[in-house]
Amino acid sequence: MKASHRLRDLLQLQLASDSYAVLHLPFVLDTLSKEDLQPSAHTQKWIARVNSLIHSKDPGAKWSGLCLAFQTAVYSKAVMLECAQSWVAAAMSLLVNQPAPTTKSAIRLLRLIFSNAIDVPEFQRQICLPHVPKFGNALIAIAEKEANTEVKIVVLDTLAHIVSLYPSLCRPLHAALSNTALRHLNGSSPNPTPDAMVEACSRLYCVLPLTGGKVGATGLWRKSLDDTIAFAWGALIQLRSTYPDQAYAKAAPLAEDPIIGIPLALDRLRAGVQVISDLLRATASRPVLISIGPLVRLCLALFQCETHEKTDPMVDPVVRSLEDAVVPALSMLACGMLVPLAQTCRHHLTPHLPALLSHLTYHLEQPQSPVRSVRLLRTAQSILENGLQLHDKTLSSRLARATMPLLTVILSERTQVDVENEQGVAHGRSKKGKKRARGYEGDEVFKVGRKIICPTPEEGDLLLVSVDVLENLLLRAQVNPPVHSIASRLLLSIYASLPQLPPAMLSSDLSLHPRLYSKLQLVCAHLAIGTTSTMSKALGIVLSVSGGTLGEINGISAPTEIDLLLHPRVPPLVRSLPHVEMLSLFRAEESQEESDTRTNVGLGVVPDESDIAELLAPTVNVLPRETLAEVAEATRNASRPQVQAQKYAAMQVDVAPPAAPSAVVAKVAEPSIPSALAVPAMPPAAASTLENFHVPPSSLPPPPDPLPSSTAASGPRSTTIPAPPTTPTAPPPMPTEEEADDDDDEPMPTIDMGSDSDSE
């Protein structure tokens, strides 16, 4: 359908009468487009119909006419300039004594007209200059008399917008505008002021310094900031009246009921923090001086408010309980103030970084809800991003240790069956003597309804922000090597296990899984790059998990960086060697300090086969290397002719058939048994194999009971020689390692099978 035909059909059908215009207004607004308002034969008819609706006596028709005029002004600037004079006059008369929808529509239309053609000087001279002050006065009157909160918010937002566009025209209204804004910033009790109202009043109050011009705006802004800081301190002192602190001034007793006074002071403090945040985000025509010291002291005072301080027996317990109830909200207010402060001051906040991050880390170490943890982490992230590099290793490591437990929810937890099995093995109990456990290993596979890891959006945001904080700490701050290794391994473990986790199991928001995976991919790739001369050991794992290729994330091409590692542009000898703490350490290289750090954070490792075998094997004592050499020597002597004197007595035993090397089990006696050793007659090759075979401690069974020394076994291949009695504390002398080595080098004697000893 052509645009002119669509406009004609709308005029003939949907806008044929006032009642039809009200009924079909949503359809008309959705159908109308910019092409429909191009100059045509139906444009003037459209303008005439809109004017007739605005001047109608029906309130619904007036409302529909104002909405159509607003949409027309949005799509066609030429039509707006043509009809601005009549529309402004009609809308100004509809600001008073009208229903709320009509008043809001008139305000929206006037705001659009006064701000959409600001680049036309003639329009400003004829329309804006005479009507903007009148419009401001009318809005102030509506804000004072109107009881509808939505209308008030629209009025305050429009005033802030108009003052920012025409500060000179609004200069005579400065006092009235200030009173209007401060009226809703002074707190309310027992019901607090709505957040939308506080934000709207704060925005209006923060644009008022612009009325002072280019020269006076700086002074007005600084005065507003100082007054707001003093106002916030006064509210905080009222909230800590029962806590004697040297940093606070002596608070005057509350004149009103504490049930009313405490919520009122909290609402005032919340309004003061919002104003400070908006003042720090406000624009200024010239550089201004920011009171960083007072702002930081106010933030630290909010962070230091605790409930476990000393109590005074003379304090009213009701007032104390009310003040304790608002303590959790104070740290959140400090976070709301620190984020714009860090974004505005940037590196000027560097001297205060240790104190601020110490308080943030302390609160993160305490049990917190996901909402509070997200606020604390975002504040720390803003400070780390906008400030200079943090050189305090202790503080950085402490913040990393406080952040890592928030990410462990993604990793699998030990089941109760695993815990009971580990405890049973540790205490040496057998599974046969225990009752069957009610839970079974792997029973979670048969559970139909699994719990979602992040059931709320706040918990999903907590994972994303935690990854960002760890990235900043590991890449831009100095962290202790054990903490750096644990954090790197934790991120790598989550990155490797995340593809195996269904998105629906992670969160009900299916977009959280790819977002978290992208963040982890980028962080792990940057950590795996290592230094300028050596790649990290984790780079192969990162590439294997990602299928060998890494996509572009946030405008950063990871394959380009990896290509530079594989094909460096600088000769390797020119570059310096990497630092040890920059290399990714694994469990095989885990030190005791790193193991303690992992335990304190609450992270475990999956036991491998050697660990399981070591736990399940009985405890035995392993003979030293000299004893093993002596056993090998006795084995060789057993295979020699009987004419030679044997050093140790050998008992006649049945030689088992040789088994596979992996299934060889050597039985070595403990040093505390008598010196009669049971040694089978083995060929030289078997003796050499036994000599070079090192038996792991976990595969040694208990030693066999020795036979009595008086037992004599007859046979042509063995001779029994009584051994002198020995004690467990005094084992027989063993040959030295040099003698054992000499015996190894000694050639084996040859036996002439054709000789006959009887003939001799």
Side-chain angles (χ1 to χ4, degrees), residues 6 10 24-34 36 68 71 75:
R6 186 185 297 113
L10 291 176
H24 298 288
L25 180 63
F27 174 78
V28 174
L29 295 178
D30 292 339
T31 307
L32 195 63
S33 63
K34 187 176 182 180
D36 297 335
L68 290 174
Q71 200 71 14
Y75 287 144

Side-chain angles (χ1 to χ4, degrees), residues 95-96 103 107 134-160 176-184 197 200-201 204:
L95 292 177
V96 293
T103 303
I107 293 173
K134 297 179 182 179
F135 183 48
N137 286 321
L139 292 178
I140 293 173
I142 295 173
E144 292 177 354
K145 299 178 181 179
E146 185 63 43
N148 193 342
T149 305
E150 294 182 1
V151 177
K152 281 186 176 181
I153 293 174
V154 173
V155 168
L156 294 172
D157 288 338
T158 306
L159 283 173
L177 293 172
S178 180
N179 294 332
T180 302
L182 294 177
R183 183 180 297 111
H184 299 285
M197 180 68 69
C201 293
L204 175 59

Side-chain angles (χ1 to χ4, degrees), residues 598-667:
R598 176 173 53 79
T599 305
N600 296 334
V601 172
L603 294 174
V605 293
V606 179
D608 52 11
E609 297 180 358
S610 61
D611 296 338
I612 297 175
E614 184 176 355
L615 291 174
L616 296 179
T619 303
V620 297
N621 295 329
V622 183
L623 289 177
R625 183 176 179 181
E626 292 79 2
T627 307
L628 294 177
E630 183 179 355
V631 173
E633 176 67 18
T635 304
R636 287 193 300 269
N637 293 336
S639 62
R640 296 175 183 176
Q642 298 298 325
V643 297
Q644 298 180 2
Q646 298 182 356
K647 185 176 182 180
Y648 289 95
M651 297 178 294
Q652 184 178 359
V653 296
D654 297 333
V655 181
S662 59
V664 175
V665 178
K667 297 184 179 181

Side-chain angles (χ1 to χ4, degrees), residues 414-753:
R414 294 188 305 173
T415 62
Q416 186 64 25
V417 177
D418 297 335
V419 177
E420 292 178 358
N421 291 341
E422 292 178 6
Q423 292 177 355
V425 172
H427 291 284
R429 295 193 300 265
S430 175
K431 290 186 178 180
K432 296 181 179 179
K434 292 179 58 179
K435 294 183 179 180
R436 178 173 295 181
R438 297 185 179 272
Y440 296 91
E441 183 177 0
D443 58 351
E444 63 273 3
V445 178
F446 303 99
K447 293 182 179 179
V448 179
R450 296 185 180 182
K451 294 183 179 179
I452 299 178
I453 297 177
C454 302
T456 60
E458 290 77 11
E459 296 183 6
D461 296 339
L462 182 61
L463 297 180
L464 298 175
V465 180
S466 300
V467 174
D468 293 336
V469 172
L470 282 181
E471 179 185 9
N472 271 286
L473 290 174
L474 297 180
L475 298 179
R476 300 181 182 90
Q478 298 182 7
V479 184
N480 291 333
V483 179
H484 189 283
S485 175
I486 291 295
S488 303
R489 290 162 54 189
L490 173 63
L491 293 175
L492 189 60
S493 301
I494 298 175
Y495 173 65
S497 62
L498 198 60
Q500 304 175 4
L501 182 67
M505 288 295 300
L506 181 62
S507 174
S508 57
D509 183 11
L510 300 182
S511 64
L512 177 63
H513 191 278
R515 286 187 294 161
L516 181 60
Y517 183 77
S518 300
K519 280 183 175 292
L520 289 172
Q521 187 183 66
L522 183 62
V523 175
C524 292
H526 285 171
L527 290 175
I529 286 175
T531 63
T532 58
S533 58
T534 304
M535 291 184 294
S536 175
K537 299 178 181 179
L539 184 59
I541 301 177
V542 174
L543 294 178
S544 63
V545 172
S546 60
T549 57
L550 299 177
E552 294 187 2
I553 307 170
N554 296 331
I556 301 176
S557 180
T560 304
E561 299 176 356
I562 295 177
D563 180 70
L564 291 176
L565 290 174
L566 298 178
H567 308 284
R569 303 298 185 263
V570 181
L573 297 178
V574 177
R575 294 170 290 183
S576 60
L577 294 177
H579 298 286
V580 177
E581 58 268 15
M582 297 304 296
L583 300 177
S584 179
L585 304 179
F586 289 87
R587 187 188 174 193
E589 304 169 355
E590 188 176 58
S591 62
Q592 183 63 33
E593 184 179 1
E594 188 176 355
S595 177
D596 296 341
T597 303
R598 176 173 53 79
T599 305
N600 296 334
V601 172
L603 294 174
V605 293
V606 179
D608 52 11
E609 297 180 358
S610 61
D611 296 338
I612 297 175
E614 184 176 355
L615 291 174
L616 296 179
T619 303
V620 297
N621 295 329
V622 183
L623 289 177
R625 183 176 179 181
E626 292 79 2
T627 307
L628 294 177
E630 183 179 355
V631 173
E633 176 67 18
T635 304
R636 287 193 300 269
N637 293 336
S639 62
R640 296 175 183 176
Q642 298 298 325
V643 297
Q644 298 180 2
Q646 298 182 356
K647 185 176 182 180
Y648 289 95
M651 297 178 294
Q652 184 178 359
V653 296
D654 297 333
V655 181
S662 59
V664 175
V665 178
K667 297 184 179 181
V668 183
E670 294 184 10
S672 59
I673 64 175
S675 59
L677 299 177
V679 182
M682 295 185 180
S688 177
T689 303
L690 178 61
E691 188 176 12
N692 298 329
F693 180 74
H694 297 280
V695 181
S698 58
S699 60
L700 298 178
D705 296 330
L707 295 176
S709 59
S710 60
T711 304
S714 62
R717 297 190 313 169
S718 62
T719 305
T720 303
I721 301 176
T726 58
T727 60
T729 57
M734 301 296 177
T736 60
E737 185 175 358
E738 291 76 5
E739 296 176 357
D741 294 338
D742 296 338
D743 294 339
D744 294 342
D745 299 334
E746 180 179 342
M748 297 294 295
T750 59
I751 302 176
D752 189 5
M753 302 300 297

